[in-house]
Amino acid sequence: MGLSAAALLWGLPGLLLTIARHPALSPCPAQASVPAHRDYCVLGAGPAGLQMAYFLQRAGRDYAVFERAPGPGSFFTRYPRHRKLISINKRYTGKANAEFNLRHDWNSLLSHDPRLLFRHYSNAYFPDAGDMVRYLGDFADRLGLHVLYNTTIAHVTLNKDQRAWNGHYFILTDQKGQAYQCSVLLVATGLSVPNQVDFPGSEYVDGYESVSVDPKDFVGQNVLILGRGNSAFETAENILGVTNFIHMLSRSRVRLSWATHYVGDLRAINNGLLDTYQLKSLDGLLESDLTDLAVVKDHEGKFHVTLKFFLEEGNRSADAVPLPQDDNDNFALRVAYDRVIRCLGWNFDFSIFSKSLRLSAGGELSKKYPLVRASYESKGSRGLFVLGTASHSVDYRKSAGGFIHGFRYTARAVHRLLECRHHGVSWPSTQQPITQLASAIIRRVNEASGLYQMFSVLADVVLLKENATAFAYLEEFPMQMLAQLETITGRRARHGLFVINMEYGRNFSGPDKDVFFYDRSVGHTEDAWLSNFLHPVIYYYRHLPTEQEVRFRPAGWPLPRPTAIHHIVEDFLTDWTAPVGHILPLRRFLENCLDTDLRSFYAESCFLFALTRQKLPPFCQQGYLRTQGLVGTESLRQRGVESGLLWDYATVGRGDSGQQPGDHGPGQHPLAPGPPVSPFDSNKEEL
C-alpha cells in the first residue's frame, strides 16, 4: 500500500508527528485521563438526594447528583405497587405559620419557593405516587439542580490522597466507564433490594415487586402472604374482596403505628385484614419464624406449608413430604394455597461499593442499612454520608428518619456539619439576651417541624454566654453527637447549655401497649413528668457531656442524666402557650437553673429595684439602666422622696429648709431624666 497524498505532501517526519499527537492513531496506549472532580457527589435523585442538592446549591458548592433513571424519583414510578402513599398531605391546619404547617405535610421538601409545597400537587390526604414523581420533577427543574440523568454508578471505591479533605477521594465509575472523583460522597440511593428469606420452596413465592396488582387474578383463591408490614397489608387490602381467604405469616406480632408511635409500622389505612381476622371472616394472622418452614408444591400446583426438618430427613417427592397435619389435624396452615406472596420489605444495595469502604459489618441490621454514626457519616469511611431512607438505622423504629418528613431535616443537619467542617461556616444560631430564653423555647416547641417530626433524634441546643447574660440558640442538632457539639458546630459550650427535645412518655409506646386506656392524658403541671403524648422536655447541663457519658447514658434515656430536667406538660392541642400551665413552670425552671429572674418589667419597677436591691433582674440591667433613667411622674417622685433620695419640694414651698447639699431637684436626679423603657403588652409584670 502506498502512502496517501497528504502523507506524501507532509513527508514522513510530518506523518510521524501527526500520529504522535493523536493517541487514537498511536500504537502505544494513551495515559488514562484524570477523572472529573466534584467536591460533593450525591448518589440518587430521590427525595433525599434532591434535598441535599438544594442545600449545596444554595450554599454555592461544587456538586453533582448521579441518577440512573431519566428523571428524579424513579422509586415512586413503581412503588408502592398499588400507588397510594401513606404519607399524609394535610392541606388545612387553620394556621398560616409555614413552619407549623410542615408538621402535618409529610411530602414536601424544604426550599425557599412556596410553589414547591406538595399541597399544590394533590388534594388527596393520602396522595397517589404519580403525584410524588411529578413533584420531584418540578423540584429539580424549578430550582435548577445539577442532576446527571441516565448515569448509573456501577462501582465506588477509595483513592488515598493526602491532599484530599478526608485523606482520600471517592472514585465513582459509571456504566460507560467514565470516572468521577469526589471529596465527599453523599449516598441517597434508598432501599432497593427486596428482602428475601432463604427457605426450601422459596422459588415458588411471588415477590411484592413483581406480583400482579389486578384483583381479577386472585378471584376465588387461597392466598398466603409472608410479611407483616405496610406492603403486606397493602397487598392484602387490594385483594381482600375477591379471595377465598388471606392468611398472613410473620415471625413477629403485628406492630400498629398508633401503639408504637412509629410511622413505619402498620398504618390504619391498610389494616382492613385485622377487622376480618378478629371478626372471624376467614382471614387470619399467624406468627412463625420463616426459616423453620418450607413450601412444597403438589401435583395439582397447590402449595403446602410444612416444616423444614421434614425435608431434611431425605430426598422425597413433593407429594411424599410429611405435612404437620399428618400428626396434628388441627394445624393452622393445613389448607392448600393457590398463591404465596413475599412482602418482607427492602434492603440497601451494597453491591456497587468496594469492601474498602466498610459500609457493612454483616450484622442483622447492617444487612438492611449501612453502618453510620449518629451524624449520618459512615463508620468505615470518613467523608461518606448516608441520607434518606438508607440512614434510618440511626432511629429505626423510633422516629421518622426513614421518611421524607423526617430526613428532610437530617439532610439539613448533615449539610450544616459539612459547611462547618470544610468551609468554616459555623452552625447557624441566633444570639439573644437571656431575658428572651423562655420566649425562644416556647416559640420553637410550638412551631418547629424538625423537632416535632424527629423527636428524640434532633434537638435544639441553647449555649449560655458567660454569667448567663445572653445565649446562642442552635436548631435541630443530632442529639447523640452532643459530646462533639463544639467540633461539629464551631460554637463554644463553656458556660452551660440547655437541650430542648420532644418525647413520648417512657412507657407509652410499644406493640403491646394500650394507648387508649382511660385517664391516659396528663393535665396537671405537677405531673408533667408523667406525660404520655409527645411533649417538650428540657435538659440542663452545667458542662458539655463527654462521649463516655453519652454512650453509657441510662437505659431508655436519649441523653445522659442532666443537672436538671423539665417536662412541659402534654397538651391535647399541642399548643404549649398556656400562661400558667406551660410558660410559668418553664420560666421558673430556667430561673432555678440560672439563679436569676427572667421576668420582664416596666421601667418603674426597675427603678424601685435599683433603689432596693443589690442585684437587678437581667431585664432591668439590659433595658432600664442602659436607657439612663425614666420620665418623671408624681408616683416616681413620691417614691423617691420616701426613700430619702429626692427632696420633697412640697414641704419646701411651706417654708421648710432649702435644698440640702448633694440633693437634686426633679428632673435632675441621675436616675430621673431620660426616655422611658418600652412597655410590654400587659400592665403587670410578665409571668
Side-chain angles (χ1 to χ4, degrees), residues 156-158 170 185 353-359 378 380-381 384:
V156 181
T157 189
L158 283 177
F170 298 95
L185 179 60
F353 298 94
S354 168
K355 290 185 178 179
S356 63
L357 297 174
R358 295 179 294 171
L359 274 179
S378 167
S381 300
L384 191 160

Side-chain angles (χ1 to χ4, degrees), residues 407-450:
F407 64 62
R408 61 192 179 194
Y409 300 106
T410 60
R412 182 162 64 185
V414 170
H415 176 253
R416 288 170 172 171
L417 181 157
L418 293 170
E419 285 290 293
C420 183
R421 178 186 291 183
H422 297 304
H423 308 288
V425 179
S426 298
W427 197 283
S429 71
T430 56
Q431 311 286 328
Q432 298 185 57
I434 200 67
T435 53
Q436 298 302 309
L437 180 55
S439 297
I441 293 174
I442 287 295
R443 180 183 64 82
R444 285 287 294 171
V445 300
N446 279 287
E447 296 178 1
S449 178

Side-chain angles (χ1 to χ4, degrees), residues 27-28 80 82 90 135 148 155 201 218 245 257 261 287 304 385 401 403 420 433 485 502 517 556 573 655:
C28 299
H82 304 92
K90 191 171 181 60
Y135 170 75
L148 300 177
H155 188 63
F218 298 87
F245 56 79
S257 61
H261 302 114
E287 289 77 38
H304 300 266
F385 290 83
F403 311 90
C420 183
L485 180 139
M502 303 289 283
F517 68 90
L573 302 176

Side-chain angles (χ1 to χ4, degrees), residues 42-172:
V42 182
L43 291 189
L50 295 183
Q51 185 67 87
M52 178 54 74
Y54 168 76
F55 293 131
L56 292 171
Q57 180 144 312
R58 292 283 286 180
R61 304 306 173 201
D62 175 40
Y63 78 94
V65 181
F66 300 89
E67 171 56 47
R68 63 183 178 183
S74 59
F75 181 87
F76 294 100
T77 62
R78 289 196 63 196
Y79 305 106
R81 293 296 312 284
H82 304 92
R83 310 311 292 149
K84 181 176 287 189
L85 300 176
I86 58 174
S87 48
I88 65 174
N89 177 40
K90 191 171 181 60
R91 302 175 66 234
Y92 303 102
T93 64
K95 297 190 178 183
N97 185 291
E99 178 70 11
F100 174 86
N101 288 340
L102 279 173
R103 289 183 169 187
H104 310 287
D105 173 356
W106 292 8
N107 299 286
S108 293
L109 297 179
L110 305 178
S111 82
H112 63 282
D113 190 342
R115 297 174 300 171
L116 292 173
L117 292 174
F118 197 83
R119 65 189 305 270
H120 302 307
Y121 288 79
S122 175
N123 294 330
Y125 192 69
F126 293 106
D128 186 89
D131 295 327
M132 177 59 72
V133 175
R134 185 164 54 91
Y135 170 75
L136 295 176
D138 282 358
F139 190 90
D141 293 343
R142 288 185 178 178
L143 298 172
L145 304 182
H146 305 153
V147 184
L148 300 177
Y149 296 112
N150 299 307
T151 304
T152 302
I153 299 301
H155 188 63
V156 181
T157 189
L158 283 177
N159 181 23
K160 294 187 179 298
D161 191 323
Q162 294 303 314
R163 297 169 297 177
W165 289 349
N166 298 293
H168 52 250
Y169 291 111
F170 298 95
I171 305 300
L172 284 57

Side-chain angles (χ1 to χ4, degrees), residues 442 525 575-587 686-687:
I442 287 295
T525 56
D575 178 10
W576 291 281
T577 57
V580 176
H582 301 134
I583 298 176
L584 179 59
L586 171 63
R587 196 205 76 209
E686 183 181 328
L687 286 174

Side-chain angles (χ1 to χ4, degrees), residues 493-511:
R494 301 301 171 85
H495 306 289
L497 65 153
F498 291 95
V499 179
I500 298 93
N501 182 36
M502 303 289 283
E503 299 177 16
Y504 279 97
R506 295 280 164 82
N507 298 308
F508 193 55
S509 301

Side-chain angles (χ1 to χ4, degrees), residues 481-493:
M481 300 302 294
L482 189 60
Q484 292 85 42
L485 180 139
E486 293 187 333
T487 301
I488 291 174
T489 66
R491 307 284 180 183
R492 303 290 290 273

